[in-house]
């Protein structure tokens, strides 16, 4: 059923915070929404290559990183 696929379909945009801003994934936004204390990482496939994202918590502070393939700009 379509509703059961929702978490997987929107994992990259909701938890990882990677949203496509232009056609062809030339520009993306990066704003992860992760509960305090929950570490998360993942890969978002694009036509340019994979975008790798990780979020970790250190002393109550969010530390986030994103690795972009050539040809993608991040806001």
């Amino acid at each position: 059923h379509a509703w059961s696929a929702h978490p997987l379909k929107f994992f990259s945009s909701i938890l990882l915070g990677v949203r496509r801003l232009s056609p062809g994934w030339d520009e993306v936004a990066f704003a992860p929404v992760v509960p305090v204390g929950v570490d998360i990482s993942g890969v978002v496939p694009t036509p340019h290559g994979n975008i790798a994202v990780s979020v970790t918590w250190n002393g109550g502070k969010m530390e986030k990183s994103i690795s972009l393939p050539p040809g993608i700009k991040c806001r």
Side-chain angles (χ1 to χ4, degrees):
H1 188 270
W3 290 110
S4 64
H6 180 271
L8 183 58
K9 167 73 173 136
F10 293 101
F11 173 76
S12 62
S13 63
I14 295 171
L15 291 177
L16 295 180
V18 177
R19 289 185 304 114
R20 179 179 57 120
L21 295 178
S22 66
W25 290 85
D26 294 331
E27 188 173 11
V28 298
F30 179 51
V33 179
V34 181
V36 175
V38 176
D39 295 345
I40 192 167
S41 64
V43 174
V44 180
T46 75
H48 297 280
N50 291 335
I51 298 173
V53 172
S54 70
V55 176
T56 57
W57 290 88
N58 188 7
K61 284 185 90 173
M62 178 191 284
E63 296 177 359
K64 56 187 181 176
S65 70
I66 184 168
S67 176
L68 299 168
I72 296 182
K73 288 188 257 179
C74 183
R75 257 202 253 177

